[in-house]
Amino acid sequence: MKMERQAMKGKGLNLGLQLIATVLVLCFCYTCEVAEGKSQQTTKKTYIVHMDMSKMAETYEDHLQWYDSSLKSVSESADMLYTYSSIIHGFSTRLTQEEAELLEKQSGILSVLPEMIYKLHTTHSPEFLGLGSSDSVVPASASSSEVIVGVLDTGVWPEIKSFDDTGLGPVPSTWKGTCEAGKNFNSSSCNRKLIGAQYFSKGYEAAFGPIDETMESKSPRDDDGHGTHTATTAAGSVVSGASLFGYAFGTARGMAPQARVAAYKVCWLGGCFSSDILAGMEKAVADGVNVISMSIGGGISDYNRDTVAIGAFRAVAQGILVSCSAGNSGPSPGSLTNVAPWITTVGAGTLDRDFPAYVSLGNGKNYSGISLYSGKPLSDSLVPLVYAGNVSNSTSGNLCMTGTLVPSQVAGKIVICDRGSNSRVQKGLVVKDSGALGMILANTELYGEELVADAHVLPTSTVGQRAADAIKNYAFTDPKPTATIASGGTKLGVEPSPVLAAFSSRGPNLVTPEVLKPDLIAPGVNILAGWTGAAGPSGLTRDTRHVSFNIISGTSMSCPHVSGLAALIKGAHQDWSAAAIKSALMTTAYATYKNGENILDVATGQPSTPFDFGAGHVNPMAALDPGLVYDASVDDYLSFFCALNYTAADIKQITNEDFTCDSSKKYSLGDLNYPSFSVPLETASGKGGGAGVTSTVKYTRTLTNVGAPATYKLSMTSKTQSVKISVEPESLSFAKENEKKSYTVTFTATSMPSGTSSFAHLEWSDGKHVVGSPIAFSWT
Ligand SMILES: *[C@@H]1O[C@H](CO)[C@@H](O)[C@H](O)[C@H]1NC(C)=O
Ligand SMILES: *[C@@H]1O[C@H](CO)[C@@H](O)[C@H](O)[C@H]1NC(C)=O
Ligand SMILES: *[C@@H]1O[C@H](CO)[C@@H](O)[C@H](O)[C@H]1NC(C)=O
Ligand SMILES: *[C@@H]1O[C@H](CO)[C@@H](O)[C@H](O)[C@H]1NC(C)=O
Ligand SMILES: *[C@@H]1O[C@H](CO)[C@@H](O)[C@H](O)[C@H]1NC(C)=O
């Protein structure tokens, strides 16, 4: 967990990726790094072998015997790590690439997928979301405490107050999971809040060797902090007087404080391995969770070769909502992961809360940055200021990498370090070790004005690019530059808010451009939630500070906000499908401020678009009563696979079902009953779209009434002259609950626009509810 965003650049598409081992990012905590691995012919690697049960010969007594005989036919020595029996039928094992290729050619084998390694991707957010700081707004009900959120992450630290179960009734009778004992973890570590905790390490240990128990616990215990943070963000209990060193002081609570938490530890120091993730997802589904929260994502591939997408499909088919982080690879376009349409893909925005740290210069100028430093402050008097690039014997000295600063030139000074490469807190440690008094962490162009707060080990202010350039200019031109840094505590009411985080991964969706992603955004910048007792707030090995709460950023943090809100909606509407809950969250989201302007993008300072925020920012109170929903069942996804031209074998890899597309039927990607619209159009250079040539596409949607009888009227706003939009019919009357009505939108492209994308917004309203959908056009 060392490198910043640059490391994530240049990660290409791996569509149709076969037996190439590629290590992928799955972590969406914003300090993580990506590594790439290369396959070797002779060494063994883990593969997930997906078997077609319908092809099992009758001569076998049971499926295990069949799996074993298939495996032994290519490798005498290989053992099964896991056998899978619900999400997929099959097993994971260690094979050479050659053996894997041989096995995949055998009859009865659907696929042999190489292991992927996924790297790891509040006090105030409930009020910001209009949920209030207590339970007064959403009253606790018996049903809200029946909902179970399964969190696949780095485990949990059960002793913190956020897992206090005071006031909760017995564990829901639907719960079938366990509290697995292991190193530093007893079966009694669970309670009525944390109802289950399990760990999955076979894939990790097969690749890395036995877990080093001096470094991490072979048990559900969280030695990292990430898993405790995400679990308590989703469904932590109410804790008053929470803060990190006094920062963000207030009442901390998860989004669904009545819901129960089940932790599935699938991520280890070496990453999150897909064979373990699949085992964890299977267990979560079997245990009876209602929501799966996964702040891990990977590279993207076709859905039938993407373990997380396959696992999520089976969960969604059983009514479990799966919420995943969109990724931290923004602001580059097309940087999303977890894009399967049955997954709820969550980007990140800011809260209206800031932790200012002021930089005062010898020239009298004063700049505002951000920091969570908590130790002894610098004195008010000015001290010498240097740019790291000028006091280093390394060409990359400006980045404050370990061992690059010359102590005699930095001792007693404030050092300006450029952001990038190593982690932000690591830079602070390097600066402190070289004898400096403080650090100014300077955003470069890549990071713009995005300010991410960290619990630094010395007085620090992280400043945006504009301030950074001004401070550097002063340091370069003044013969005796000086500065000091002062903390401004916690500031609330920051405007505008939310703004889109620069790191939040962006569309368009490179796998299926007809599906708009991300789906929505939620708070993911400087979020306070529970923390592990095994690591300090900076995550640095040498950070010996202990905290019960920590403030961190990433789409890892926004994902569990949505997971918890989904649990809240599930509690209020127990019969709703995963697609209905997701629709409620999306159609009620907001994309504009009160002045009508779109949510700003901190990366550019300009308004962001649906390719950045999807349907917009979550609005939980409205989502509890959406009026209408775009529901979707397994049949809808089957038609979607047919529109993708998937073969019966491809479809079986995802659904575990035999299904053949009807060759006489015309399937269209635009007809997936999705709560948003993405319409790729061809440019003059593309086929059939020459200048002046009109092309027309039709998307059909079906709305289900989940409110009282009402008539909904259409309204449409469009920002493009290049596409004519017509909707038929323009009024939908629902006489009873659960009634369904369909409509068709016809998009007629009449000319080429000046840019490559444009947007419109469609709304159905009965005067009480507004059911909104973004429309994104792209010309390719
Ligand atoms: C587990 O139980 C044992 C015996 O009661 C106790 O000594 C130990 O402290 C417990 N460990 C944890 C992590 O709760
Ligand atoms: C710098 O500006 C901030 C905010 O305007 C203010 O609170 C702080 O006192 C100023 N510091 C100095 C040294 O002027
Ligand atoms: C310090 O570094 C900057 C940027 O690399 C450079 O422009 C400047 O000349 C350097 N100053 C000194 C004194 O070396
Ligand atoms: C840079 O200088 C420091 C201190 O003089 C020294 O310890 C270090 O080895 C040098 N590093 C390089 C890369 O030359
Ligand atoms: C599926 O095949 C049809 C017919 O060959 C083609 O027109 C269509 O573009 C294909 N769809 C996709 C998503 O590849």
Side-chain angles (χ1 to χ4, degrees), residues 131 137-148 255-256 258-259 290-291 564-577 580-581 584 620-626 706 737:
L131 288 173
V137 183
V138 184
S141 66
S143 58
S144 64
S145 67
E146 292 297 304
V147 182
I148 304 164
M255 295 296 106
Q258 301 290 322
N290 304 105
V291 174
L565 295 173
L568 214 54
I569 297 174
K570 184 74 182 177
H573 306 284
Q574 284 164 293
D575 55 335
W576 284 13
S577 70
I581 294 173
M621 292 312 291
L624 283 164
D625 179 22
V706 292
E737 208 183 326

Side-chain angles (χ1 to χ4, degrees), residues 70-130:
S70 305
L71 179 55
K72 288 290 172 308
S73 73
V74 299
S75 167
E76 275 301 323
S77 61
D79 290 321
M80 290 181 218
L81 296 170
Y82 293 103
T83 56
Y84 304 106
S85 58
S86 67
I87 285 176
I88 67 163
H89 294 293
F91 57 92
S92 45
T93 187
R94 303 281 289 173
L95 298 171
T96 66
Q97 184 172 328
E98 197 184 349
E99 288 164 350
E101 281 166 6
L102 262 173
L103 188 60
E104 192 162 39
K105 288 194 193 110
Q106 290 190 8
S107 129
I109 309 283
L110 281 167
S111 65
V112 178
L113 296 177
E115 176 107 283
M116 301 272 192
I117 306 172
Y118 297 87
K119 284 256 178 177
L120 279 184
H121 283 252
T122 89
T123 51
H124 183 55
S125 48
E127 290 118 86
F128 182 71
L129 293 170

Side-chain angles (χ1 to χ4, degrees), residues 468-519:
D469 288 350
I471 295 168
K472 281 184 214 170
N473 185 48
Y474 164 72
F476 296 157
T477 53
D478 193 282
K480 280 201 154 153
T482 55
T484 191
I485 298 168
S487 166
T490 303
K491 199 170 114 194
L492 291 174
V494 175
E495 293 286 345
S497 64
V499 296
L500 188 82
F503 62 73
S504 189
S505 283
R506 314 302 171 90
N509 176 346
L510 298 183
V511 181
T512 312
E514 289 80 1
V515 175
L516 184 69
K517 290 280 178 174
D519 290 310

Side-chain angles (χ1 to χ4, degrees), residues 444-704:
T444 55
E445 195 183 348
L446 182 62
Y447 304 97
E449 299 304 313
E450 173 179 275
L451 298 180
V452 179
D454 299 289
H456 288 285
V457 296
L458 84 171
T460 295
S461 177
T462 301
V463 294
Q465 190 201 353
R466 279 195 302 270
D469 288 350
I471 295 168
K472 281 184 214 170
N473 185 48
Y474 164 72
F476 296 157
T477 53
D478 193 282
K480 280 201 154 153
T482 55
T484 191
I485 298 168
S487 166
T490 303
K491 199 170 114 194
L492 291 174
V494 175
E495 293 286 345
S497 64
V499 296
L500 188 82
F503 62 73
S504 189
S505 283
R506 314 302 171 90
N509 176 346
L510 298 183
V511 181
T512 312
E514 289 80 1
V515 175
L516 184 69
K517 290 280 178 174
D519 290 310
L520 74 179
I521 61 169
V525 180
N526 304 332
I527 302 300
L528 182 94
W531 199 244
T532 175
S538 68
L540 294 168
T541 322
R542 282 169 48 198
D543 186 350
T544 54
R545 298 173 291 180
H546 286 290
V547 295
S548 298
F549 291 90
N550 194 11
I551 295 173
I552 54 175
S553 301
T555 54
S556 271
M557 281 67 245
S558 57
C559 160
H561 275 89
V562 167
S563 313
L565 295 173
L568 214 54
I569 297 174
K570 184 74 182 177
H573 306 284
Q574 284 164 293
D575 55 335
W576 284 13
S577 70
I581 294 173
K582 169 170 159 173
S583 173
L585 287 163
M586 287 173 67
T587 62
T588 56
Y590 62 92
T592 58
Y593 302 119
K594 287 200 182 78
N595 68 6
E597 202 172 283
N598 269 13
I599 289 170
L600 289 177
D601 181 353
V602 76
T604 59
Q606 299 297 312
S608 50
T609 76
F611 285 127
D612 309 320
F613 56 64
H617 192 279
V618 279
N619 183 5
M621 292 312 291
L624 283 164
D625 179 22
L628 306 174
V629 294
Y630 294 91
D631 206 351
S633 65
V634 166
D635 287 345
D636 293 277
Y637 298 121
L638 288 171
S639 297
F640 173 75
F641 296 137
C642 294
L644 285 171
N645 297 329
Y646 275 23
T647 64
D650 294 337
I651 294 175
K652 189 160 192 178
Q653 287 166 22
I654 303 167
T655 65
N656 239 353
E657 283 173 30
D658 288 303
F659 182 80
T660 312
C661 302
D662 179 348
S663 57
S664 66
K665 202 170 154 188
K666 203 169 173 303
Y667 297 97
S668 164
L669 292 169
D671 289 344
L672 179 65
N673 203 32
Y674 215 70
S676 60
F677 295 80
S678 179
V679 188
L681 294 161
E682 279 166 355
T683 56
S685 54
K687 62 178 158 51
V693 177
T694 304
S695 69
T696 298
V697 283
K698 279 184 202 288
Y699 282 25
T700 299
R701 292 288 189 271
T702 301
L703 282 161
T704 305

Side-chain angles (χ1 to χ4, degrees), residues 58 75 117 121 191 211 233 311 359 363 413 585 618 642 670 727:
E58 281 170 13
S75 167
I117 306 172
H121 283 252
N191 60 13
I211 283 170
T233 298
V359 177
N363 63 4
K413 299 179 183 170
L585 287 163
V618 279
C642 294
V727 178

